[in-house]
Amino acid sequence: MSQQRSKSPYRKNKKSINSLEKQNETDPYADIPTIGTIEINSVENHDNTTSEEIFTTLRVNRKNNGDINLKCKVDTGAQSNVLPIHLFRVLYPELINAEGMPRDGALQRSDVILTAYGGSEITQFGKILIPLTDAVGPAILGIKTCRALELVSLHCALESKSVQGKNVSRDVAQGSSEEEVKPSKSVRFADQAKIINQQQNRSRSYIKPSVPITSCPRIKDKEHLIEMYPECFDGSVGCFEDYTYHITLDPKVKPVVHASRRVPLELVDKLNFELNEMEKNGVIEKVTKPTDWVGLREKPNGRLCLCLDPKDLNEAIMRDHYPTPTLEEITPKLAGARVFSKIDARNGYWNVKLDDKSSYLTTFNTPNGRYRFLRMPFGLRMSQDVFQLKIDETYRNCRGATGIADNITVNGGDESNHNLHDAMERTRMAGIKLNQEKCIIKTSECSLLGMVYTSSGVKPDPEKVIAIQNMETPKDKKELHTFLGMVNYLASFMPNLANHTAPLRELLRDNVDYQWSPSHTRAFDILKCQISTETTLSYYEQSSCATSRRIK
């Protein structure tokens, strides 16, 4: 059995492809196989039913054993032609040894790695320029051969469609309804092939939800992760579909209505854009009926960032008290970790739906009228509690995964990445969408809540160290409070902190005037010097106490 090259895949009105010489390697059809003389007799549905599987019969001309029919499955998603071992035994019994396996020298060695849909690897024995596998089922004709034999043809157009304010193009199969297909321009055959190849490349890496975690291939990098789980990075607003939250109010608190805030003229267009985007994404909705609670606060941050001014509403909300993990709880869990990844939930609180009654409580006023949040907004006193609860439910019992608000860290002791696959599958099933830009995959260290976690321990985030080092002498009690707050956050890395901060804390007493002296300057400089010295705190282990060591 040998594979040779077909010179012209475009020959029309011919039902056979004869053996020809090998073409240039750059020919896109250079790997089209021919088996002696192949004749196409028919293309039919499997068992003459309406099944989506399509088969064709190829006539194989064998020199020594006569002609034989080979029924092949047409698979336009396959990149290679695959011949199972049991069919090879039928085609070429003289090449099979007593154990039923190919004889030595019957096949050429192949370095091609065959993967099934979902990423699991298929064992192959070799090639007669066509990979030979131990899979069961029919022979498979890949897309290139199907096109060369004129079993399939590509008819594509590009459709421009607006998605979340951006124009994107997608390929559309010919024959769709007029509402779906509105070609903006014609596409050359080469462009069609490029589009199809891009789809096939995605499909080879894509991990189906049904694939067991232990069968998933290793994740190479962030781009590979996105190809495996594209639903998590599609730029849409996520949603916990099986959960709707109800805001409980204290009936003793009276409702408050605020007038619309004035918006600077230069921000009006940005405000309108953000409102339209949020409305299209199902985050807010226009309100026409009277409501009891109304408020708004706008602040520019690159794009305009909209959030409620919920001071009055927060006084009435009866909070759900749910704990957020602390650094003391997280750090011991990272002992033994060597590989770190961090995924970031996009539009965190917006993943939580509000019931209708609660939604009207979030009504806010704008120059364009009133709107209400359909999703849980930022700024409500219970938002962090509710979102943390859903994050914990999503990643509970996920080995190596820890979620604090919208930051989910995943660690493992080696490169296996099975922990990350488990976390990603839970992310997909929960409906959470991720920020591609903020995700960090397979690194030797990971920053979280002002700390940097490594294989050897935890150390302060360099950015926080620099911020403290660059602070100027406090001019009043408020600035001193800020400085001491930053220092106390990193207290684990500063021995004898209480002794060094004692002179400064004296200035914060209510009955003491703020008078800065040289002694205060010395204490201030010592603290800045201590935190500027890189220190690593070892992970706590049950067999030993947590210790700190300085790295010079």
Side-chain angles (χ1 to χ4, degrees), residues 256-258 285-296 308-309 313 356-366 369-373 377:
V256 177
V257 177
H258 292 281
E285 181 181 84
K286 285 188 175 180
V287 176
T288 56
K289 70 176 187 179
T291 55
D292 295 329
W293 296 86
V294 181
L296 171 69
L308 288 175
D309 183 3
L313 179 58
D356 197 58
K357 185 176 181 180
S358 300
S359 177
Y360 280 104
L361 297 176
T362 65
T363 302
F364 60 94
N365 241 330
T366 77
R370 291 177 299 145
Y371 293 83
R372 61 173 174 142
F373 275 90

PDB file of all heavy atoms in Angstrom, residues 256-258 285-296 308-309 313 356-366 369-373 377:
ATOM      1  N   VAL A 256     -34.956  56.535  49.588  1.00  0.00           N
ATOM      2  CA  VAL A 256     -34.405  57.834  49.234  1.00  0.00           C
ATOM      3  C   VAL A 256     -34.329  57.928  47.719  1.00  0.00           C
ATOM      4  O   VAL A 256     -33.928  56.976  47.045  1.00  0.00           O
ATOM      5  CB  VAL A 256     -32.998  58.040  49.833  1.00  0.00           C
ATOM      6  CG1 VAL A 256     -32.403  59.373  49.378  1.00  0.00           C
ATOM      7  CG2 VAL A 256     -33.065  57.979  51.359  1.00  0.00           C
ATOM      8  N   VAL A 257     -34.707  59.075  47.165  1.00  0.00           N
ATOM      9  CA  VAL A 257     -34.629  59.320  45.728  1.00  0.00           C
ATOM     10  C   VAL A 257     -33.682  60.488  45.490  1.00  0.00           C
ATOM     11  O   VAL A 257     -33.860  61.571  46.053  1.00  0.00           O
ATOM     12  CB  VAL A 257     -36.012  59.641  45.128  1.00  0.00           C
ATOM     13  CG1 VAL A 257     -35.880  59.964  43.646  1.00  0.00           C
ATOM     14  CG2 VAL A 257     -36.962  58.471  45.343  1.00  0.00           C
ATOM     15  N   HIS A 258     -32.642  60.275  44.647  1.00  0.00           N
ATOM     16  CA  HIS A 258     -31.682  61.316  44.312  1.00  0.00           C
ATOM     17  C   HIS A 258     -31.962  61.840  42.911  1.00  0.00           C
ATOM     18  O   HIS A 258     -32.346  61.084  42.013  1.00  0.00           O
ATOM     19  CB  HIS A 258     -30.250  60.774  44.362  1.00  0.00           C
ATOM     20  CG  HIS A 258     -29.787  60.430  45.742  1.00  0.00           C
ATOM     21  ND1 HIS A 258     -29.363  61.372  46.636  1.00  0.00           N
ATOM     22  CD2 HIS A 258     -29.698  59.235  46.381  1.00  0.00           C
ATOM     23  CE1 HIS A 258     -29.012  60.784  47.772  1.00  0.00           C
ATOM     24  NE2 HIS A 258     -29.210  59.476  47.636  1.00  0.00           N
ATOM     25  N   GLU A 285     -31.324  47.950  32.343  1.00  0.00           N
ATOM     26  CA  GLU A 285     -32.547  48.064  31.546  1.00  0.00           C
ATOM     27  C   GLU A 285     -33.217  49.396  31.879  1.00  0.00           C
ATOM     28  O   GLU A 285     -33.161  49.857  33.027  1.00  0.00           O
ATOM     29  CB  GLU A 285     -33.479  46.888  31.869  1.00  0.00           C
ATOM     30  CG  GLU A 285     -34.773  46.882  31.101  1.00  0.00           C
ATOM     31  CD  GLU A 285     -35.637  45.690  31.501  1.00  0.00           C
ATOM     32  OE1 GLU A 285     -36.355  45.784  32.513  1.00  0.00           O
ATOM     33  OE2 GLU A 285     -35.577  44.663  30.800  1.00  0.00           O
ATOM     34  N   LYS A 286     -33.827  50.006  30.884  1.00  0.00           N
ATOM     35  CA  LYS A 286     -34.510  51.278  31.118  1.00  0.00           C
ATOM     36  C   LYS A 286     -35.725  51.078  32.019  1.00  0.00           C
ATOM     37  O   LYS A 286     -36.386  50.049  31.985  1.00  0.00           O
ATOM     38  CB  LYS A 286     -34.941  51.898  29.793  1.00  0.00           C
ATOM     39  CG  LYS A 286     -33.791  52.515  29.014  1.00  0.00           C
ATOM     40  CD  LYS A 286     -34.286  53.292  27.810  1.00  0.00           C
ATOM     41  CE  LYS A 286     -33.133  53.993  27.107  1.00  0.00           C
ATOM     42  NZ  LYS A 286     -33.596  54.771  25.926  1.00  0.00           N
ATOM     43  N   VAL A 287     -35.996  52.124  32.846  1.00  0.00           N
ATOM     44  CA  VAL A 287     -37.101  52.093  33.792  1.00  0.00           C
ATOM     45  C   VAL A 287     -38.062  53.222  33.445  1.00  0.00           C
ATOM     46  O   VAL A 287     -37.637  54.369  33.240  1.00  0.00           O
ATOM     47  CB  VAL A 287     -36.596  52.248  35.242  1.00  0.00           C
ATOM     48  CG1 VAL A 287     -37.770  52.318  36.212  1.00  0.00           C
ATOM     49  CG2 VAL A 287     -35.679  51.097  35.601  1.00  0.00           C
ATOM     50  N   THR A 288     -39.352  52.882  33.396  1.00  0.00           N
ATOM     51  CA  THR A 288     -40.364  53.904  33.092  1.00  0.00           C
ATOM     52  C   THR A 288     -41.354  54.110  34.228  1.00  0.00           C
ATOM     53  O   THR A 288     -41.989  55.157  34.324  1.00  0.00           O
ATOM     54  CB  THR A 288     -41.134  53.517  31.815  1.00  0.00           C
ATOM     55  OG1 THR A 288     -41.709  52.209  31.978  1.00  0.00           O
ATOM     56  CG2 THR A 288     -40.209  53.511  30.605  1.00  0.00           C
ATOM     57  N   LYS A 289     -41.486  53.117  35.119  1.00  0.00           N
ATOM     58  CA  LYS A 289     -42.455  53.265  36.207  1.00  0.00           C
ATOM     59  C   LYS A 289     -41.772  53.875  37.433  1.00  0.00           C
ATOM     60  O   LYS A 289     -40.543  53.849  37.555  1.00  0.00           O
ATOM     61  CB  LYS A 289     -43.061  51.907  36.554  1.00  0.00           C
ATOM     62  CG  LYS A 289     -42.120  50.934  37.234  1.00  0.00           C
ATOM     63  CD  LYS A 289     -42.883  49.666  37.606  1.00  0.00           C
ATOM     64  CE  LYS A 289     -42.016  48.732  38.443  1.00  0.00           C
ATOM     65  NZ  LYS A 289     -42.754  47.513  38.832  1.00  0.00           N
ATOM     66  N   PRO A 290     -42.545  54.433  38.377  1.00  0.00           N
ATOM     67  CA  PRO A 290     -41.958  55.047  39.571  1.00  0.00           C
ATOM     68  C   PRO A 290     -41.213  54.017  40.424  1.00  0.00           C
ATOM     69  O   PRO A 290     -41.608  52.853  40.529  1.00  0.00           O
ATOM     70  CB  PRO A 290     -43.184  55.596  40.320  1.00  0.00           C
ATOM     71  CG  PRO A 290     -44.234  55.734  39.272  1.00  0.00           C
ATOM     72  CD  PRO A 290     -43.992  54.621  38.293  1.00  0.00           C
ATOM     73  N   THR A 291     -40.111  54.448  41.034  1.00  0.00           N
ATOM     74  CA  THR A 291     -39.322  53.588  41.918  1.00  0.00           C
ATOM     75  C   THR A 291     -38.957  54.354  43.176  1.00  0.00           C
ATOM     76  O   THR A 291     -38.933  55.585  43.189  1.00  0.00           O
ATOM     77  CB  THR A 291     -38.038  53.115  41.222  1.00  0.00           C
ATOM     78  OG1 THR A 291     -37.312  54.256  40.754  1.00  0.00           O
ATOM     79  CG2 THR A 291     -38.348  52.204  40.045  1.00  0.00           C
ATOM     80  N   ASP A 292     -38.656  53.605  44.255  1.00  0.00           N
ATOM     81  CA  ASP A 292     -38.376  54.231  45.553  1.00  0.00           C
ATOM     82  C   ASP A 292     -36.922  54.649  45.717  1.00  0.00           C
ATOM     83  O   ASP A 292     -36.623  55.643  46.374  1.00  0.00           O
ATOM     84  CB  ASP A 292     -38.752  53.270  46.683  1.00  0.00           C
ATOM     85  CG  ASP A 292     -40.243  52.999  46.732  1.00  0.00           C
ATOM     86  OD1 ASP A 292     -41.008  53.908  46.360  1.00  0.00           O
ATOM     87  OD2 ASP A 292     -40.636  51.888  47.119  1.00  0.00           O
ATOM     88  N   TRP A 293     -36.008  53.863  45.167  1.00  0.00           N
ATOM     89  CA  TRP A 293     -34.580  54.121  45.378  1.00  0.00           C
ATOM     90  C   TRP A 293     -33.944  54.507  44.046  1.00  0.00           C
ATOM     91  O   TRP A 293     -33.994  53.764  43.086  1.00  0.00           O
ATOM     92  CB  TRP A 293     -33.875  52.884  45.916  1.00  0.00           C
ATOM     93  CG  TRP A 293     -34.357  52.471  47.267  1.00  0.00           C
ATOM     94  CD1 TRP A 293     -35.425  51.678  47.539  1.00  0.00           C
ATOM     95  CD2 TRP A 293     -33.804  52.856  48.524  1.00  0.00           C
ATOM     96  NE1 TRP A 293     -35.582  51.532  48.896  1.00  0.00           N
ATOM     97  CE2 TRP A 293     -34.586  52.242  49.532  1.00  0.00           C
ATOM     98  CE3 TRP A 293     -32.723  53.646  48.904  1.00  0.00           C
ATOM     99  CZ2 TRP A 293     -34.321  52.394  50.879  1.00  0.00           C
ATOM    100  CZ3 TRP A 293     -32.454  53.796  50.246  1.00  0.00           C
ATOM    101  CH2 TRP A 293     -33.242  53.181  51.218  1.00  0.00           C
ATOM    102  N   VAL A 294     -33.298  55.674  43.980  1.00  0.00           N
ATOM    103  CA  VAL A 294     -32.661  56.140  42.757  1.00  0.00           C
ATOM    104  C   VAL A 294     -31.334  56.798  43.103  1.00  0.00           C
ATOM    105  O   VAL A 294     -31.272  57.636  43.999  1.00  0.00           O
ATOM    106  CB  VAL A 294     -33.548  57.159  41.993  1.00  0.00           C
ATOM    107  CG1 VAL A 294     -32.863  57.609  40.717  1.00  0.00           C
ATOM    108  CG2 VAL A 294     -34.911  56.570  41.677  1.00  0.00           C
ATOM    109  N   GLY A 295     -30.229  56.467  42.369  1.00  0.00           N
ATOM    110  CA  GLY A 295     -28.942  57.113  42.581  1.00  0.00           C
ATOM    111  C   GLY A 295     -27.985  56.805  41.447  1.00  0.00           C
ATOM    112  O   GLY A 295     -28.207  55.907  40.660  1.00  0.00           O
ATOM    113  N   LEU A 296     -26.865  57.571  41.311  1.00  0.00           N
ATOM    114  CA  LEU A 296     -25.836  57.343  40.289  1.00  0.00           C
ATOM    115  C   LEU A 296     -24.541  58.048  40.670  1.00  0.00           C
ATOM    116  O   LEU A 296     -24.569  59.110  41.286  1.00  0.00           O
ATOM    117  CB  LEU A 296     -26.306  57.860  38.924  1.00  0.00           C
ATOM    118  CG  LEU A 296     -25.262  57.883  37.816  1.00  0.00           C
ATOM    119  CD1 LEU A 296     -24.893  56.482  37.400  1.00  0.00           C
ATOM    120  CD2 LEU A 296     -25.735  58.676  36.615  1.00  0.00           C
ATOM    121  N   LEU A 308     -23.081  52.570  41.050  1.00  0.00           N
ATOM    122  CA  LEU A 308     -24.078  53.213  41.895  1.00  0.00           C
ATOM    123  C   LEU A 308     -23.406  54.053  42.981  1.00  0.00           C
ATOM    124  O   LEU A 308     -22.260  53.828  43.341  1.00  0.00           O
ATOM    125  CB  LEU A 308     -24.942  52.157  42.574  1.00  0.00           C
ATOM    126  CG  LEU A 308     -25.945  51.393  41.714  1.00  0.00           C
ATOM    127  CD1 LEU A 308     -26.605  50.314  42.557  1.00  0.00           C
ATOM    128  CD2 LEU A 308     -27.001  52.329  41.157  1.00  0.00           C
ATOM    129  N   ASP A 309     -24.168  55.025  43.484  1.00  0.00           N
ATOM    130  CA  ASP A 309     -23.783  55.716  44.712  1.00  0.00           C
ATOM    131  C   ASP A 309     -24.767  55.209  45.776  1.00  0.00           C
ATOM    132  O   ASP A 309     -25.794  55.823  46.042  1.00  0.00           O
ATOM    133  CB  ASP A 309     -23.908  57.223  44.537  1.00  0.00           C
ATOM    134  CG  ASP A 309     -23.450  57.978  45.779  1.00  0.00           C
ATOM    135  OD1 ASP A 309     -22.998  57.317  46.723  1.00  0.00           O
ATOM    136  OD2 ASP A 309     -23.560  59.210  45.798  1.00  0.00           O
ATOM    137  N   LEU A 313     -28.930  53.297  50.119  1.00  0.00           N
ATOM    138  CA  LEU A 313     -29.441  51.938  49.945  1.00  0.00           C
ATOM    139  C   LEU A 313     -28.683  50.955  50.837  1.00  0.00           C
ATOM    140  O   LEU A 313     -29.277  50.039  51.409  1.00  0.00           O
ATOM    141  CB  LEU A 313     -29.323  51.519  48.472  1.00  0.00           C
ATOM    142  CG  LEU A 313     -29.801  50.104  48.115  1.00  0.00           C
ATOM    143  CD1 LEU A 313     -31.268  49.914  48.496  1.00  0.00           C
ATOM    144  CD2 LEU A 313     -29.606  49.833  46.625  1.00  0.00           C
ATOM    145  N   ASP A 356     -36.540  40.388  40.085  1.00  0.00           N
ATOM    146  CA  ASP A 356     -37.177  41.607  39.568  1.00  0.00           C
ATOM    147  C   ASP A 356     -37.348  42.668  40.650  1.00  0.00           C
ATOM    148  O   ASP A 356     -37.052  43.845  40.430  1.00  0.00           O
ATOM    149  CB  ASP A 356     -38.540  41.241  38.964  1.00  0.00           C
ATOM    150  CG  ASP A 356     -39.067  42.333  38.051  1.00  0.00           C
ATOM    151  OD1 ASP A 356     -38.373  42.679  37.075  1.00  0.00           O
ATOM    152  OD2 ASP A 356     -40.166  42.851  38.324  1.00  0.00           O
ATOM    153  N   LYS A 357     -37.779  42.254  41.824  1.00  0.00           N
ATOM    154  CA  LYS A 357     -37.998  43.224  42.903  1.00  0.00           C
ATOM    155  C   LYS A 357     -36.695  43.880  43.335  1.00  0.00           C
ATOM    156  O   LYS A 357     -36.636  45.105  43.543  1.00  0.00           O
ATOM    157  CB  LYS A 357     -38.665  42.523  44.086  1.00  0.00           C
ATOM    158  CG  LYS A 357     -39.044  43.464  45.214  1.00  0.00           C
ATOM    159  CD  LYS A 357     -39.793  42.724  46.319  1.00  0.00           C
ATOM    160  CE  LYS A 357     -40.192  43.673  47.438  1.00  0.00           C
ATOM    161  NZ  LYS A 357     -40.935  42.952  48.533  1.00  0.00           N
ATOM    162  N   SER A 358     -35.647  43.091  43.457  1.00  0.00           N
ATOM    163  CA  SER A 358     -34.344  43.637  43.848  1.00  0.00           C
ATOM    164  C   SER A 358     -33.777  44.542  42.768  1.00  0.00           C
ATOM    165  O   SER A 358     -33.089  45.532  43.048  1.00  0.00           O
ATOM    166  CB  SER A 358     -33.362  42.500  44.136  1.00  0.00           C
ATOM    167  OG  SER A 358     -33.821  41.669  45.176  1.00  0.00           O
ATOM    168  N   SER A 359     -34.038  44.212  41.502  1.00  0.00           N
ATOM    169  CA  SER A 359     -33.517  45.002  40.395  1.00  0.00           C
ATOM    170  C   SER A 359     -34.001  46.438  40.451  1.00  0.00           C
ATOM    171  O   SER A 359     -33.239  47.381  40.190  1.00  0.00           O
ATOM    172  CB  SER A 359     -33.924  44.357  39.070  1.00  0.00           C
ATOM    173  OG  SER A 359     -33.503  45.138  37.981  1.00  0.00           O
ATOM    174  N   TYR A 360     -35.253  46.651  40.816  1.00  0.00           N
ATOM    175  CA  TYR A 360     -35.785  48.018  40.876  1.00  0.00           C
ATOM    176  C   TYR A 360     -35.173  48.819  42.022  1.00  0.00           C
ATOM    177  O   TYR A 360     -35.173  50.056  41.989  1.00  0.00           O
ATOM    178  CB  TYR A 360     -37.308  47.978  41.004  1.00  0.00           C
ATOM    179  CG  TYR A 360     -38.002  47.733  39.680  1.00  0.00           C
ATOM    180  CD1 TYR A 360     -38.543  46.492  39.384  1.00  0.00           C
ATOM    181  CD2 TYR A 360     -38.094  48.741  38.720  1.00  0.00           C
ATOM    182  CE1 TYR A 360     -39.171  46.253  38.170  1.00  0.00           C
ATOM    183  CE2 TYR A 360     -38.716  48.518  37.498  1.00  0.00           C
ATOM    184  CZ  TYR A 360     -39.250  47.270  37.236  1.00  0.00           C
ATOM    185  OH  TYR A 360     -39.864  47.041  36.018  1.00  0.00           O
ATOM    186  N   LEU A 361     -34.623  48.141  43.027  1.00  0.00           N
ATOM    187  CA  LEU A 361     -33.947  48.856  44.113  1.00  0.00           C
ATOM    188  C   LEU A 361     -32.677  49.537  43.626  1.00  0.00           C
ATOM    189  O   LEU A 361     -32.201  50.485  44.249  1.00  0.00           O
ATOM    190  CB  LEU A 361     -33.604  47.889  45.251  1.00  0.00           C
ATOM    191  CG  LEU A 361     -34.771  47.222  45.969  1.00  0.00           C
ATOM    192  CD1 LEU A 361     -34.253  46.229  46.995  1.00  0.00           C
ATOM    193  CD2 LEU A 361     -35.672  48.264  46.626  1.00  0.00           C
ATOM    194  N   THR A 362     -32.113  49.048  42.529  1.00  0.00           N
ATOM    195  CA  THR A 362     -30.842  49.591  42.016  1.00  0.00           C
ATOM    196  C   THR A 362     -31.059  50.641  40.937  1.00  0.00           C
ATOM    197  O   THR A 362     -30.119  50.987  40.211  1.00  0.00           O
ATOM    198  CB  THR A 362     -29.987  48.449  41.442  1.00  0.00           C
ATOM    199  OG1 THR A 362     -30.649  47.881  40.303  1.00  0.00           O
ATOM    200  CG2 THR A 362     -29.760  47.358  42.476  1.00  0.00           C
ATOM    201  N   THR A 363     -32.266  51.162  40.815  1.00  0.00           N
ATOM    202  CA  THR A 363     -32.557  52.178  39.799  1.00  0.00           C
ATOM    203  C   THR A 363     -31.661  53.402  39.985  1.00  0.00           C
ATOM    204  O   THR A 363     -31.446  53.869  41.106  1.00  0.00           O
ATOM    205  CB  THR A 363     -34.037  52.602  39.879  1.00  0.00           C
ATOM    206  OG1 THR A 363     -34.857  51.438  39.697  1.00  0.00           O
ATOM    207  CG2 THR A 363     -34.359  53.618  38.794  1.00  0.00           C
ATOM    208  N   PHE A 364     -31.125  53.909  38.880  1.00  0.00           N
ATOM    209  CA  PHE A 364     -30.284  55.109  38.951  1.00  0.00           C
ATOM    210  C   PHE A 364     -30.683  56.087  37.854  1.00  0.00           C
ATOM    211  O   PHE A 364     -31.231  55.719  36.821  1.00  0.00           O
ATOM    212  CB  PHE A 364     -28.794  54.759  38.859  1.00  0.00           C
ATOM    213  CG  PHE A 364     -28.392  54.060  37.587  1.00  0.00           C
ATOM    214  CD1 PHE A 364     -27.912  54.772  36.492  1.00  0.00           C
ATOM    215  CD2 PHE A 364     -28.467  52.679  37.488  1.00  0.00           C
ATOM    216  CE1 PHE A 364     -27.525  54.131  35.333  1.00  0.00           C
ATOM    217  CE2 PHE A 364     -28.069  52.022  36.334  1.00  0.00           C
ATOM    218  CZ  PHE A 364     -27.600  52.747  35.244  1.00  0.00           C
ATOM    219  N   ASN A 365     -30.416  57.355  38.129  1.00  0.00           N
ATOM    220  CA  ASN A 365     -30.821  58.444  37.256  1.00  0.00           C
ATOM    221  C   ASN A 365     -29.684  58.880  36.353  1.00  0.00           C
ATOM    222  O   ASN A 365     -28.521  58.956  36.791  1.00  0.00           O
ATOM    223  CB  ASN A 365     -31.259  59.648  38.092  1.00  0.00           C
ATOM    224  CG  ASN A 365     -32.711  60.025  37.829  1.00  0.00           C
ATOM    225  OD1 ASN A 365     -33.210  59.820  36.732  1.00  0.00           O
ATOM    226  ND2 ASN A 365     -33.371  60.573  38.844  1.00  0.00           N
ATOM    227  N   THR A 366     -29.965  59.158  35.094  1.00  0.00           N
ATOM    228  CA  THR A 366     -28.987  59.702  34.153  1.00  0.00           C
ATOM    229  C   THR A 366     -29.675  60.797  33.346  1.00  0.00           C
ATOM    230  O   THR A 366     -30.903  60.898  33.352  1.00  0.00           O
ATOM    231  CB  THR A 366     -28.470  58.613  33.181  1.00  0.00           C
ATOM    232  OG1 THR A 366     -29.454  58.353  32.181  1.00  0.00           O
ATOM    233  CG2 THR A 366     -28.128  57.335  33.915  1.00  0.00           C
ATOM    234  N   GLY A 369     -32.435  59.407  31.260  1.00  0.00           N
ATOM    235  CA  GLY A 369     -33.538  58.707  31.899  1.00  0.00           C
ATOM    236  C   GLY A 369     -33.041  57.739  32.947  1.00  0.00           C
ATOM    237  O   GLY A 369     -31.849  57.679  33.266  1.00  0.00           O
ATOM    238  N   ARG A 370     -33.971  56.959  33.493  1.00  0.00           N
ATOM    239  CA  ARG A 370     -33.639  56.038  34.575  1.00  0.00           C
ATOM    240  C   ARG A 370     -33.369  54.632  34.033  1.00  0.00           C
ATOM    241  O   ARG A 370     -33.974  54.182  33.072  1.00  0.00           O
ATOM    242  CB  ARG A 370     -34.775  55.998  35.597  1.00  0.00           C
ATOM    243  CG  ARG A 370     -34.928  57.291  36.386  1.00  0.00           C
ATOM    244  CD  ARG A 370     -36.122  57.198  37.336  1.00  0.00           C
ATOM    245  NE  ARG A 370     -37.354  56.981  36.589  1.00  0.00           N
ATOM    246  CZ  ARG A 370     -38.370  56.239  37.015  1.00  0.00           C
ATOM    247  NH1 ARG A 370     -38.291  55.633  38.193  1.00  0.00           N
ATOM    248  NH2 ARG A 370     -39.460  56.107  36.294  1.00  0.00           N
ATOM    249  N   TYR A 371     -32.450  53.945  34.725  1.00  0.00           N
ATOM    250  CA  TYR A 371     -32.108  52.567  34.407  1.00  0.00           C
ATOM    251  C   TYR A 371     -32.080  51.767  35.710  1.00  0.00           C
ATOM    252  O   TYR A 371     -31.934  52.322  36.796  1.00  0.00           O
ATOM    253  CB  TYR A 371     -30.737  52.459  33.738  1.00  0.00           C
ATOM    254  CG  TYR A 371     -30.644  53.077  32.368  1.00  0.00           C
ATOM    255  CD1 TYR A 371     -30.430  54.444  32.218  1.00  0.00           C
ATOM    256  CD2 TYR A 371     -30.758  52.304  31.221  1.00  0.00           C
ATOM    257  CE1 TYR A 371     -30.329  55.022  30.960  1.00  0.00           C
ATOM    258  CE2 TYR A 371     -30.653  52.857  29.953  1.00  0.00           C
ATOM    259  CZ  TYR A 371     -30.437  54.220  29.833  1.00  0.00           C
ATOM    260  OH  TYR A 371     -30.344  54.782  28.584  1.00  0.00           O
ATOM    261  N   ARG A 372     -32.196  50.474  35.574  1.00  0.00           N
ATOM    262  CA  ARG A 372     -32.028  49.578  36.725  1.00  0.00           C
ATOM    263  C   ARG A 372     -31.044  48.474  36.356  1.00  0.00           C
ATOM    264  O   ARG A 372     -30.913  48.095  35.194  1.00  0.00           O
ATOM    265  CB  ARG A 372     -33.360  48.957  37.145  1.00  0.00           C
ATOM    266  CG  ARG A 372     -34.014  48.093  36.057  1.00  0.00           C
ATOM    267  CD  ARG A 372     -35.232  47.382  36.588  1.00  0.00           C
ATOM    268  NE  ARG A 372     -35.947  46.665  35.530  1.00  0.00           N
ATOM    269  CZ  ARG A 372     -36.523  45.470  35.687  1.00  0.00           C
ATOM    270  NH1 ARG A 372     -36.431  44.850  36.856  1.00  0.00           N
ATOM    271  NH2 ARG A 372     -37.180  44.906  34.696  1.00  0.00           N
ATOM    272  N   PHE A 373     -30.346  47.969  37.357  1.00  0.00           N
ATOM    273  CA  PHE A 373     -29.406  46.872  37.148  1.00  0.00           C
ATOM    274  C   PHE A 373     -30.160  45.544  37.144  1.00  0.00           C
ATOM    275  O   PHE A 373     -30.920  45.264  38.078  1.00  0.00           O
ATOM    276  CB  PHE A 373     -28.337  46.852  38.243  1.00  0.00           C
ATOM    277  CG  PHE A 373     -27.174  47.756  37.974  1.00  0.00           C
ATOM    278  CD1 PHE A 373     -27.187  49.074  38.413  1.00  0.00           C
ATOM    279  CD2 PHE A 373     -26.069  47.289  37.271  1.00  0.00           C
ATOM    280  CE1 PHE A 373     -26.110  49.911  38.165  1.00  0.00           C
ATOM    281  CE2 PHE A 373     -24.998  48.119  37.015  1.00  0.00           C
ATOM    282  CZ  PHE A 373     -25.012  49.436  37.452  1.00  0.00           C
ATOM    283  N   PRO A 377     -24.793  44.992  41.023  1.00  0.00           N
ATOM    284  CA  PRO A 377     -23.822  46.064  40.750  1.00  0.00           C
ATOM    285  C   PRO A 377     -22.700  46.098  41.778  1.00  0.00           C
ATOM    286  O   PRO A 377     -22.784  45.501  42.850  1.00  0.00           O
ATOM    287  CB  PRO A 377     -24.678  47.333  40.833  1.00  0.00           C
ATOM    288  CG  PRO A 377     -25.748  46.987  41.806  1.00  0.00           C
ATOM    289  CD  PRO A 377     -26.029  45.506  41.630  1.00  0.00           C
TER     290      PRO A 377
END
